[in-house]
Amino acid sequence: MRWPVPAVVSSPVPAVLVKLGPLDAGRIADLRPYLDLVPDPRARRGRWYSLPAVLLVCACAAVSGARSLDELAEWAERAPDVLLAAVGIRRHLLRWRRAPSRTTIGRVLKAVDGDALDRAVGAHLADLHDASAQAGSGRRRVIAVDGKALKGSARLTAARRHLLSAVAHHQTVTLAQAEVGMKTNEAAHFQPLLEPLDLDGTLVTFDALHSVQV
């Protein structure tokens, strides 16, 4: 499991979910097809909640300020029935609709492929950015690629973690990111980071060290 480290070191919430911003019914519906592409690590037998439904619950809780497993579960428990229906929580045969428990949420977040989740959310944000740019002033799309060590991510047995990110200039949207380990390893991740993005007509800015890959 490899997630970008969230803002709070003890938080189980993938940082990419926090970047989604406000989620209404329309945004939830738009996001679901992207989360459908994330592989479900759980066995089929005994599975009640779909993976996209659990991730959408976590996303809604995260953009509402939840940062711990307890806060995720508490938000889910208090979520109205109409919202649970919107994220895809199935109704039981007895007609009740119950949010996933703390144990279920924790198990899913521990097992889910963090890289696949990052790609799915990044693709969603990139498509939103493209649509917004086409409807806007027609300014040229500009993406900045840069790496940063994450403050507060160090452990007793490990140094601070390092991310390489592709960020849109005009709307400050993270379109793609990857954990790259030591800062000297950035160059090897440069092209793979950009491969999923549509760069037609886009100006990409980056540090000189990446010119060896161009």
Side-chain angles (χ1 to χ4, degrees):
M1 175 182 66
R2 293 178 295 168
W3 290 333
V5 173
V8 181
V9 174
S10 61
S11 170
V13 182
V16 70
L17 295 182
V18 181
K19 295 179 180 180
L20 283 167
L23 290 172
D24 55 20
R27 285 286 306 277
I28 288 172
D30 291 340
L31 177 59
R32 182 180 288 107
Y34 295 87
L35 296 182
D36 283 336
L37 302 177
V38 179
D40 195 329
R42 301 170 298 169
R44 289 184 177 274
R45 186 174 182 180
R47 185 194 307 171
W48 177 259
Y49 302 101
S50 71
L51 180 63
V54 177
L55 293 177
L56 282 169
V57 166
C58 293
C60 291
V63 301
S64 299
R67 293 294 180 271
S68 70
L69 192 54
D70 287 335
E71 289 174 351
L72 291 175
E74 182 179 357
W75 186 95
E77 184 178 355
R78 295 183 177 183
D81 190 75
V82 64
L83 191 147
L84 295 178
V87 302
I89 300 298
R90 291 191 296 159
R91 189 182 291 276
H92 192 270
L93 293 177
L94 298 179
R95 308 306 294 169
W96 52 259
R97 196 190 310 272
R98 183 174 298 166
S101 67
R102 182 187 188 279
T103 300
T104 298
I105 293 173
R107 186 181 297 120
V108 167
L109 292 182
K110 183 178 180 180
V112 72
D113 185 334
D115 291 334
L117 176 59
D118 205 37
R119 287 192 297 269
V121 175
H124 170 68
L125 294 175
D127 288 347
L128 282 180
H129 178 264
D130 289 345
S132 177
Q134 291 175 6
S137 62
R139 290 181 298 179
R140 186 176 188 181
R141 186 188 188 199
V142 182
I143 294 175
V145 178
D146 195 14
K148 297 294 181 183
L150 297 183
K151 183 178 180 179
S153 61
R155 303 291 197 280
L156 292 176
T157 57
R160 286 192 297 175
R161 300 172 74 177
H162 195 84
L163 295 181
L164 183 67
S165 301
V167 181
H169 273 214
H170 301 311
Q171 294 183 316
T172 318
V173 176
T174 301
L175 304 178
Q177 63 183 8
E179 186 176 348
V180 298
M182 297 297 293
K183 191 169 184 178
T184 52
N185 292 335
E186 279 187 23
H189 294 267
F190 178 72
Q191 290 187 357
L193 181 77
L194 296 177
E195 280 179 2
L197 303 179
D198 180 6
L199 300 179
D200 187 26
T202 300
L203 174 64
V204 180
T205 64
F206 48 87
D207 293 338
L209 68 91
H210 297 303
S211 61
V212 299
Q213 298 290 321
V214 178

